[in-house]
Each structure stands twice: as C-alpha cells, then as structure tokens.
Amino acid sequence: MILDSEKFVVTAEIEPPKGTDVTGLLASANALKGKVKAVLIPDNARGVMRMSPLVVCKLVKDEGVEVIMTVACRDRNRLALQSDLLGAAALGINSILCVTGDHTMHGDHKEAKPVFDVDSVQLLQMAATLNSGKDMNGNELSGAPEFFLASTVNPFASPVELQTIKFEKKVEAGARVFFTQPLFDLERFAGFMEHARKYPVKVLPEICILTSTDVARYQDHKLPGFFIPEDIFRRIREAGENDLNEGISIAAELIKEIKRSKLADGVHLMPGREKGAILEVLERAGA
Amino acid sequence: MIVARRKPFDEIKGSVSGAEQVLILGCGTCVAVCLAGGEKEVAILASQLKMALRLENQNVRIDELTIERQCDREFIEEINTRVTVDDYDLILSMACGAGVQLLSDVFDHKVVLPALNTTFIGVAEGPGVWTERCRACSNCILGVTGGICPITMCAKGLVNGPCGGAINGKCELDYNRACAWAMIYERLQKLGKMENVRKIQPPRRHDLATSPALVIHKAYQ
C-alpha cells in the first residue's frame, strides 16, 4: 500500500474544483507527479461545497498519481458512506482517510443539515468491516474492498488525554496512518510522538505554508485546529509582503528538522496561496 | 422544559392580517417559565398588535386567554368554558409546537397559528438564561458521559471524544463555549470514571428515535 512505505513519505493535498472545470486539478496533480508519494483529496473541506472526492480521486488516479480519498461524516449517513466506499474500491481507490469533518457552520452552506450519523472512529470501524466482507450490519458483501485506513489526530489540543483516548480508539478501529493538524510546534509534537510510537502506526504531520491571511484568520479564531506559536506568528507578521516566502521557509525548515531527527514517518503538505509553493517547499527542504 | 422564542413581531402581525377577531392563547407551563408565551407575554403581544394594527387603521378585536397547558386535551377542552372559540377568525397560539398542534387537532375547523418558534429542551441557568440539554434521542448515554450529553452539547454530536477542532477546551464553533468533551473529561476525572470513555461507543441507533414517536404506558396498552 502506498502509505506503508519504509521511507520518509511525502504527501500533498489538492483541493477539488468548485465547478466542473478540472483543468487546474489535473495540472496540479501532474505537477506533483513523482514529487510526492500520493495526493490527498479532501471531502468538502471546511464545509465548503466542491466536486465529489470520489470523482476527483478517479480523475487524478487516471493521470498516474496515487490518491488518498478523504471521507467525512458531515454530509452523508451510514448508507451513503458505505455506498461510496464500495464505489471507491471498485475504482481502485484503496487509501481512505476517515475524518469527522469540519462543521457546516464553517462553510459556505451554513443552512445545511450537518449529518454526523457516525463519527470518525465508527467510520474507521465501518471501513474495516467492509474489508472483512460484511457491511456494518453484518450483511454479506459480494466482493470485499482492501482498504488501507488513515485518520487524523490533533497532538496540539488540550486536554491531551482526551485526544490520546480518541487516537487509541482510532488505532483500535483500524487506522494505520495518522495525519495531524498543522504542525508548527516541534516540541509539543515530539511529546505526542513519544506516545504514538507505542502503536503500530505511521504519523504524517501536516505542514502548512502560512501567509499573513492565515495569521489574520487565526487571530479571528477562523482556523479550527490550528495552533500557531508566537515566534512563527511573529515571523509571518514581520515578513510583510514577503509573507509567502517566509511561510515557505518555515515549512521547509520544519520538514528538514522532522526528517533529520526522524521525528515522524513523513509529512503532508497543504496547498498554499500559490500553487507552486508546495514544489518550492520540497526543493528548499530537499525532500 | 421546552424553551421557545417569540417569532419576530412583523411575522406575527403579517400572519394575522385580514382577521377581524383574534384570540391570543397563552400556555402556562414551559413557555411561561421561559418568558415566551405565558400570561404576561400574551398581554404584551396583544398590546403590541392592537397598537400596530390601529396605526394601520385595521379594526381587529384581540382577546387574551392563558390556559395551564396546551399539550393536554383536558386543559384545551376548558377553553370553551371561558370564551367562545367560534367567535374568532383565528387563534394565535403562544405554546410550543406540540401545543399548537394539539390545539389545531381539537379545533380543526379553526385556523391556529404559531406565535413562537420552539427552540429546545433545556434548563434555566439563571434569570433569563436557558441552555439546551437534551435532544430526546431515545437512547440516553448520560450514565457513560458523566451526566453531560455529547449528542446535545457537542455541535457534531460526537460520542467517541472531541473533534480535532477543539482548542484549549473550547468548541471550534464558538471559542467562548466549552467543548462538551472537555466538560465530560473534567466531570469523569472528578468522579474517577475515565474508564467510561475508553471503550468505543457504537453508532447511534436512529431506529429508536424515528418520527413521529409514540409512548404508551404499559398500564394502558
């Protein structure tokens, strides 16, 4: 499986298009081809409606780029989730990231009904059960998927023990790779990794290319899950118009340090304001 | 108790437009306690409507009445001993949605309109403040979660722990509000029952809470 590599794994995120034009999507996928192990396709991230990740994954996969499909619990009930998972397996999409999903109130359809019929732990269990040839209610499947399951963990939230309990539940439910909330604080992350290393899982911290816009949104509490330490916050602020360049430097420094200290099993890169930023980060980090 | 809020005045005024005789009917239980639809609120709405309609030269007779409970036939049936329902073009109910519906059932030849938006099942936190506490899900897990309901108190209704968006014990939807799971954590620590939440909770059983729900006491089956 693509994430089951022994080497330092680099993945990157590509946002599905808002509309039917897939030109930009395919260009991004091709630009990352050979530079990253796989691209992660989010599922209406931050509650903003975009093209179905199932379709996007198929399109990207057809370009010869490995994909990880995100499945969020916000928009579909257990029937729809299982249907989509079976569909993904039929299309050869086997790496699945199970997440709860940002609340609809953060997105562009605030009036929508937030579903959350199952949570991320139960979604992992559901996918693992499909792997065993049964649906979540024990009905036999004709043909079973072979999903490799990933989930998320927030090493920076408190109370830490609650996050740890949830992490352990996810491991028990079948998650083998964990993506994290954006990492800026290596010391705090190292504390989490000490615990995570006790489990047979890989951890890919998310590396975010910060800009002054992000910093402003963070101050307004509009970036759920972010924890930006004071020194990084200051570096972006003081960079002024060169904020993107500084954001790229910070990201590259983090990756270099993670790789050098073997702190994690790889990194996951978030797209920045500019499409080429991920490639620039990889080049500066020598990853 | 049921907590409700009065609808915007313009919406209420618009809904009674064209009527000549209106009965505003209050409910003396939950919505009276939450200052939305009791005797005092009936009097306030009646005065507001009379003034507003008079200014528009509409000649509408508005009467007031408040009964003990609109969700109980026994109390609805006594309405006709105090007023003559057939005198009115419409009844403006200041009860919760349940009361409005039972009233419509009993007086099914009358137009019954809601003056409130029913909001939640909750508790009084202090003067004038009510918070939601129960979603009436028909499979209560309060025994596991230390008496704090994650279905209600967590914006995502998560039963296996907090989402990744909670920061420093605050909810990602409102950083002034405590994350339900942070509260559960604190309570379970106090009770020495953290082991309660280490086990994976199964998916919720929505088949136990299909609408419309029905309860018949076993003595009456």
Side-chain angles (χ1 to χ4, degrees):
Chain A
M1 205 49 73
I2 46 166
L3 294 176
D4 218 5
S5 160
E6 287 306 308
K7 289 188 187 147
F8 191 78
V9 175
V10 179
T11 59
E13 195 148 325
I14 303 183
E15 206 161 44
K18 179 124 188 148
T20 57
D21 182 0
V22 296
T23 329
L25 167 80
L26 299 181
S28 297
N30 278 304
L32 290 168
K33 199 175 188 171
K35 312 261 188 204
V36 298
K37 190 89 183 159
V39 300
L40 176 71
I41 307 299
D43 183 2
N44 291 338
R46 295 174 303 284
V48 174
M49 189 283 293
R50 289 175 177 275
M51 188 183 281
S52 153
L54 182 58
V55 173
V56 170
C57 278
K58 169 70 174 152
L59 292 169
V60 171
K61 203 172 153 48
D62 285 349
E63 296 294 305
V65 180
E66 287 293 348
V67 288
I68 305 157
M69 183 173 94
T70 308
V71 180
C73 300
R74 178 197 50 242
D75 308 323
R76 282 158 296 174
N77 71 4
R78 60 193 83 181
L79 276 88
L81 291 168
Q82 289 179 99
S83 287
D84 280 0
L85 283 170
L86 292 180
L91 294 173
I93 300 158
N94 293 316
S95 298
I96 306 290
L97 171 65
C98 299
V99 301
T100 303
D102 296 321
H103 200 279
T104 44
M105 290 296 281
H106 284 299
D108 64 352
H109 288 68
K110 292 184 172 57
E111 312 78 5
K113 178 174 183 171
V115 179
F116 302 113
D117 183 22
V118 294
D119 62 29
S120 52
V121 176
Q122 297 156 352
L123 178 61
L124 284 161
Q125 282 185 319
M126 172 198 285
T129 309
L130 293 177
N131 275 352
S132 76
K134 290 191 169 131
D135 72 14
M136 67 184 288
N137 276 10
N139 301 304
E140 292 284 339
L141 302 175
S142 59
E146 289 177 9
F147 292 132
F148 184 84
L149 300 173
S151 194
T152 51
V153 60
N154 189 345
F156 316 107
S158 56
V160 175
E161 192 180 358
L162 266 186
Q163 295 294 337
T164 311
I165 291 174
K166 191 148 190 188
F167 168 74
E168 287 165 358
K169 284 184 178 182
K170 287 177 168 181
V171 176
E172 187 189 332
R176 290 295 166 263
V177 166
F178 282 84
F179 293 89
T180 73
Q181 299 286 346
L183 163 64
F184 300 105
D185 188 339
L186 286 170
E187 208 173 307
R188 217 160 153 179
F189 180 69
F192 163 76
M193 283 309 293
E194 224 169 278
H195 178 74
R197 286 294 183 218
K198 295 175 195 155
Y199 298 88
V201 298
K202 290 191 186 298
V203 179
L204 306 185
E206 179 177 307
I207 302 294
C208 187
I209 304 160
L210 277 185
T211 61
S212 50
T213 321
D214 299 321
V215 167
R217 282 172 62 84
Y218 177 72
Q219 268 184 314
D220 288 344
H221 300 298
K222 287 198 175 130
L223 288 179
F226 272 61
F227 183 82
I228 307 176
E230 189 55 39
D231 58 325
I232 292 205
F233 194 87
R234 208 174 38 241
R235 276 178 69 179
I236 295 288
R237 288 271 293 263
E238 284 170 5
E241 279 180 10
N242 292 321
D243 58 334
L244 179 64
N245 186 51
E246 192 63 23
I248 291 172
S249 292
I250 293 168
E253 287 165 26
L254 285 168
I255 296 172
K256 266 190 191 163
E257 183 52 28
I258 292 164
K259 209 172 167 181
R260 189 198 63 77
S261 59
K262 297 196 168 63
L263 193 55
D265 304 287
V267 287
H268 173 65
L269 285 160
M270 286 296 284
R273 186 172 64 199
E274 313 245 330
K275 285 213 168 119
I278 287 184
L279 297 176
E280 180 68 26
V281 169
L282 288 174
E283 201 173 304
R284 284 195 214 175
Chain B
M1 66 172 178
I2 306 285
V3 178
R5 273 194 206 115
R6 203 179 86 175
K7 282 179 174 286
F9 180 69
D10 285 344
E11 185 184 339
I12 299 174
K13 184 163 77 81
S15 73
V16 302
S17 168
E20 288 174 359
Q21 308 209 47
V22 173
L23 174 66
I24 303 183
L25 189 66
C27 183
T29 310
C30 311
V31 293
V33 177
C34 70
L35 310 177
E39 198 169 1
K40 264 189 282 182
E41 292 73 38
V42 167
I44 292 166
L45 179 59
S47 304
Q48 261 185 301
L49 272 176
K50 280 176 195 168
M51 282 190 279
L53 295 169
R54 185 73 52 80
L55 284 170
E56 291 176 5
N57 293 320
Q58 290 194 50
N59 192 18
V60 185
R61 183 181 135 198
I62 294 173
D63 289 347
E64 305 166 27
L65 179 68
T66 297
I67 61 170
E68 188 67 24
R69 278 204 294 278
Q70 290 187 31
C71 58
D72 197 325
R73 283 178 198 273
E74 191 187 325
F75 295 105
I76 291 182
E77 277 157 11
E78 78 183 28
I79 293 172
N80 260 327
T81 67
R82 298 166 67 182
V83 295
T84 305
V85 166
D86 284 343
D87 285 350
Y88 301 97
D89 304 319
L90 67 83
I91 306 173
L92 193 54
S93 166
M94 295 194 81
C96 70
V100 174
Q101 291 186 59
L102 192 58
L103 201 60
S104 302
D105 286 353
V106 174
F107 301 116
D108 62 359
H109 61 297
K110 283 283 149 200
V111 174
V112 177
L113 298 176
L116 306 184
N117 286 321
T118 308
T119 314
F120 55 74
I121 300 176
V123 299
E125 296 282 358
V129 180
W130 296 271
T131 56
E132 184 177 13
R133 293 301 182 97
C134 178
R135 290 241 136 182
C137 71
S138 290
N139 37 144
C140 190
I141 56 164
L142 284 168
V144 176
T145 55
I148 295 162
C149 175
I151 314 288
T152 313
M153 309 298 280
C154 165
K156 298 176 183 173
L158 303 179
V159 294
N160 275 305
C163 70
I167 291 283
N168 299 327
K170 300 292 179 189
C171 174
E172 71 168 34
L173 279 196
D174 179 355
Y175 287 103
N176 294 313
R177 188 171 69 201
C179 161
W181 278 97
M183 290 193 282
I184 291 170
Y185 176 75
E186 208 172 294
R187 180 75 54 82
L188 291 178
Q189 272 209 321
K190 204 179 276 178
L191 297 172
K193 296 272 185 195
M194 274 310 286
E195 74 276 6
N196 278 12
V197 289
R198 289 190 191 279
K199 210 175 126 244
I200 296 178
Q201 278 284 327
R204 307 292 298 154
R205 288 199 49 190
H206 295 288
D207 58 325
L208 299 176
T210 52
S211 293
L214 171 71
V215 174
I216 303 174
H217 189 278
K218 63 179 179 204
Y220 295 84
Q221 278 166 350

